Amino acid sequence: MSVELPFAPVDDIIRRHAGDLRVSADAAEELARRIQNHGAAVAATAAERADTDGRKTLMAADFSVENVTDRESLALPVAPIDRIARLDIPDEYRVSEDARLALAARLEEYAADAAAGAAILAEHAGRRTVQAEDVETYFELVE
């Protein structure tokens, strides 16, 4: 599976939480891959909720989001989020605009938590750069 999410916004999210630390390209790539996998799984669960309700359109509520964030306040681009949402759901499902925004908001929160954790791990290791191994270790510790 190729990574649909561009690395630049993911890199920005890591930098926002890394303080004075640098961020390796591999760390951004690893986090982008994790975001994509998590997003596809969340969308599959949302599709099950929609199916239970007799719908083929995913709505923001299917993503357990009460208030939908506006597009301008998101760091992650919505078009790739739409492609991520469709990775593990059948083709007959549609993803509403609010659902895309809700998923993007959830994935940004997921990424922010991982970025903060990876930065702590890099500092603990005495490094000045957040690396892919910090992202991997974070997920090993929390999953």
Side-chain angles (χ1 to χ4, degrees):
M1 168 185 338
S2 67
V3 178
E4 299 284 343
L5 197 58
F7 300 148
V10 175
D11 183 79
D12 288 344
I13 291 170
I14 298 172
R15 288 180 192 284
R16 204 176 313 145
H17 293 85
D20 293 336
L21 298 176
R22 294 177 293 220
V23 179
S24 74
D26 289 343
E29 182 177 355
E30 179 63 26
L31 184 54
R33 186 178 356 273
R34 299 281 183 147
I35 292 168
Q36 178 170 306
N37 291 340
H38 182 69
V42 168
T45 300
E48 291 171 7
R49 286 187 188 122
D51 193 51
T52 299
D53 289 346
R55 293 182 282 108
K56 294 295 181 190
T57 300
L58 303 185
M59 309 296 271
D62 296 323
F63 291 94
S64 302
V65 173
E66 293 183 23
N67 296 321
V68 178
T69 306
D70 61 290
R71 185 184 289 254
E72 292 77 32
S73 65
L74 294 170
L76 296 176
V78 176
I81 297 298
D82 181 50
R83 290 191 296 274
I84 289 168
R86 297 170 189 278
L87 287 173
D88 290 345
I89 62 174
D91 291 339
E92 65 264 14
Y93 284 92
R94 293 178 303 279
V95 183
S96 72
E97 178 68 16
D98 282 353
R100 290 180 213 140
L101 295 172
L103 179 57
R106 281 199 55 190
L107 293 179
E108 279 196 29
E109 185 176 312
Y110 176 83
D113 291 346
I120 289 168
L121 291 167
E123 286 177 337
H124 181 72
R127 285 186 273 99
R128 298 207 19 88
T129 304
V130 177
Q131 298 176 351
E133 69 186 62
D134 300 315
V135 175
E136 293 167 356
T137 303
Y138 170 79
F139 284 107
E140 287 173 10
L141 292 171
V142 298
E143 291 181 338

